[in-house]
Amino acid sequence: MTIDRRTFLASVAAVPIALTGRASRPRVIVVGAGAFGGWTALQLLRRGAEVLLLDAWGAGNARSSSGGETRVIRAVYGADRIYSAMVRRAYEHWEALDPALYTETGALWMHRGADDYVRSAAPILRELSFPLDALPLGEARRRYPQIDFRGVQSVWLERRAGALAARRACMAVRNAVEKAGGTYRIAHAELSGDALRLGDGSRLEADAYVFACGPWLGKLFPETAIQPTRQEVHYFGIPRGSRRFGPEAMPVWIDFGERIVYGLPDLDGRGFKVADDTRGEPVDPTNLNRTPSPESIARARKLLAERFPELADAPLLESRVCQYENSPDGHLVLDRHPQAKKVWIAGGGSGHGFKLAPAVGEMLADAIITEAKLPEMFGIARLAKLAKPTTQFDR
């Protein structure tokens, strides 16, 4: 987006009118039709708002943080109960939208060292009725003979976990927005005074603006400190006729060591997914060269040879170069802009936010319509005190 930021923020800095109890429906423009933006638009519609959802390239497009084939959904979040509770709520919305978007596989947590991250989540998951089992290594080897557990100190199985179809989910939410009476447009938007100016020259005003622009948020609003980083995922072919690496036999897996590498089973014949959670170098998401690097492919192959020996020489079927939208502490950024009371921010997914999107939309819609409080841990104010980015597993 092209930004006359100072003018825009000054023009929308007035104290907002309460959006409840109005004679007319509140008008909200949501910029960004990825997971956060799409679900926020849908939840606003369910609360009686008039909603326009905009995206420069379309819902689930290849440049977005919500594009691609799959995302993991799991409830283990260390001692952060708020996220686990959001996952529980998100499950309800994903399943109500379209059960076919979710494939349950379970998630296998393999720790090469201390397992505090999962162990501290156990009482929270019990409280929220998410089954979590500590597996003795012998039992893990018996259940999953296709995995070599050498170097692993402890294993946990999160039974209610699996995969969401990312791009298809974004399009399903977009369709639900239109079915609920919202308007969806592919359009490039620029900030202009107290309004948005679209690429066709039209000018739009609203009672509230939600910016859910993923990796572009940091450029739009530097105070969010959101930094997009280059991330690569690779899909490898499984042996012909094998069922050992499909979702019926192979869970989502997390190899928790010096580097945190995770992956998904072969879903819909797309291949066995391997992804490195380590933060890559900062990038411009608009013009990022999305050619996979030999170094990243070599690291993925090394992990396969060590942990999944049958796939040591598996052919590379495809790769995706995408990005995380990292906040400095890995937490979400959900807040009203401190200087512009009609402007709301939704971002900072940091590689783990996709699954939470229905709950994010719910929380943000309630804040916009009824002025419900958002958790302080998601606020913009905390970001000024932070410097070094952390990963989703460091908390």
Side-chain angles (χ1 to χ4, degrees):
M1 299 178 71
T2 304
I3 310 161
D4 180 5
R5 185 175 179 279
R6 182 177 297 176
T7 303
F8 180 79
L9 293 181
S11 63
V12 294
V15 176
I17 341 173
L19 297 187
T20 50
R22 292 163 49 101
S24 59
R25 298 171 67 195
R27 299 180 64 243
V28 184
I29 298 175
V30 180
V31 182
F36 284 7
W39 273 106
T40 300
L42 184 56
Q43 301 286 18
L44 283 164
L45 285 161
R46 291 172 175 172
R47 287 155 180 75
E50 179 184 335
V51 178
L52 170 62
L53 177 62
L54 301 174
D55 198 283
W57 289 287
N61 72 82
R63 285 183 172 97
S64 72
S65 290
S66 296
E69 294 300 315
T70 51
R71 295 293 186 280
V72 172
I73 180 166
R74 43 90 181 179
V76 167
Y77 262 100
D80 282 330
R81 186 188 185 283
I82 188 169
Y83 284 122
S84 298
M86 288 174 72
V87 172
R88 180 173 179 173
R89 188 67 180 139
Y91 264 114
E92 297 173 12
H93 285 294
W94 284 121
E95 290 172 351
L97 178 69
D98 183 355
L101 295 171
Y102 170 61
T103 302
E104 185 168 295
T105 65
L108 197 68
W109 295 82
M110 299 177 284
H111 288 262
R112 296 174 185 246
D115 60 0
D116 297 352
Y117 184 77
V118 177
R119 189 175 294 276
S120 63
I124 296 169
L125 265 63
R126 279 197 299 271
E127 177 193 342
L128 296 172
S129 300
F130 285 112
L132 179 66
D133 303 325
L135 293 185
L137 279 170
E139 174 66 10
R141 292 187 181 100
R142 186 189 66 77
R143 287 197 195 187
Y144 305 109
Q146 67 275 58
I147 301 176
D148 187 333
F149 287 95
R150 277 180 293 181
V152 173
Q153 302 300 311
S154 63
V155 180
W156 294 78
L157 178 63
E158 181 182 351
R159 282 187 269 153
R160 194 183 180 196
L164 292 165
R167 182 177 55 251
R168 287 200 293 118
C170 289
M171 293 187 288
V173 174
R174 174 205 64 194
N175 293 342
V177 165
E178 293 183 304
K179 187 176 180 180
T183 303
Y184 167 73
R185 293 177 63 179
I186 295 180
H188 171 67
E190 298 179 356
L191 305 181
S192 176
D194 61 349
L196 295 179
R197 186 175 66 245
L198 303 189
D200 62 4
S202 60
R203 196 168 181 271
L204 302 174
E205 297 186 37
D207 299 304
Y209 303 90
V210 178
F211 288 89
C213 304
W216 291 273
L217 267 174
K219 189 172 288 187
L220 280 164
F221 301 103
E223 55 271 55
T224 65
I226 289 174
Q227 175 65 69
T229 59
R230 177 189 175 97
Q231 308 295 145
E232 297 189 28
V233 298
H234 307 289
Y235 294 82
F236 294 88
I238 66 173
R240 67 180 70 183
S242 174
R243 300 177 65 86
R244 289 156 65 90
F245 297 96
E248 65 276 11
M250 183 73 211
V252 166
W253 52 273
I254 303 97
D255 191 307
F256 210 115
E258 185 177 344
R259 297 178 82 96
I260 299 168
V261 185
Y262 68 95
L264 287 89
D266 180 33
L267 295 167
D268 301 322
R270 298 305 298 261
F272 189 80
K273 180 177 178 178
V274 179
D276 191 332
D277 186 66
T278 308
R279 300 310 190 239
E281 69 271 19
V283 294
D284 171 5
T286 302
N287 300 307
L288 169 62
N289 180 346
R290 297 180 185 265
T291 304
S293 66
E295 295 80 11
S296 176
I297 296 170
R299 282 195 297 270
R301 285 199 174 281
K302 181 180 179 183
L303 186 282
L304 286 178
E306 178 185 8
R307 190 65 68 218
F308 307 97
E310 290 177 61
L311 302 181
D313 298 316
L316 178 65
L317 302 183
E318 60 178 292
S319 297
R320 281 188 58 82
V321 177
C322 49
Q323 66 276 318
Y324 282 170
E325 42 164 316
N326 301 302
S327 66
D329 58 4
H331 286 307
L332 307 181
V333 181
L334 305 176
D335 202 359
R336 189 201 302 266
H337 194 282
Q339 297 171 339
K341 299 304 182 183
K342 289 169 65 175
V343 173
W344 298 80
I345 307 295
S350 298
H352 69 107
F354 188 96
K355 61 183 168 295
L356 302 168
V360 166
E362 200 169 44
M363 295 168 72
L364 203 55
D366 284 340
I368 293 167
I369 300 298
T370 69
E371 299 192 21
K373 288 188 178 296
L374 290 161
E376 288 186 13
M377 64 188 284
F378 299 154
I380 292 173
R382 104 256 180 192
L383 298 169
K385 306 170 187 175
L386 302 172
K388 184 180 177 183
T390 59
T391 80
Q392 57 175 304
F393 300 110
D394 284 337
R395 295 189 299 277

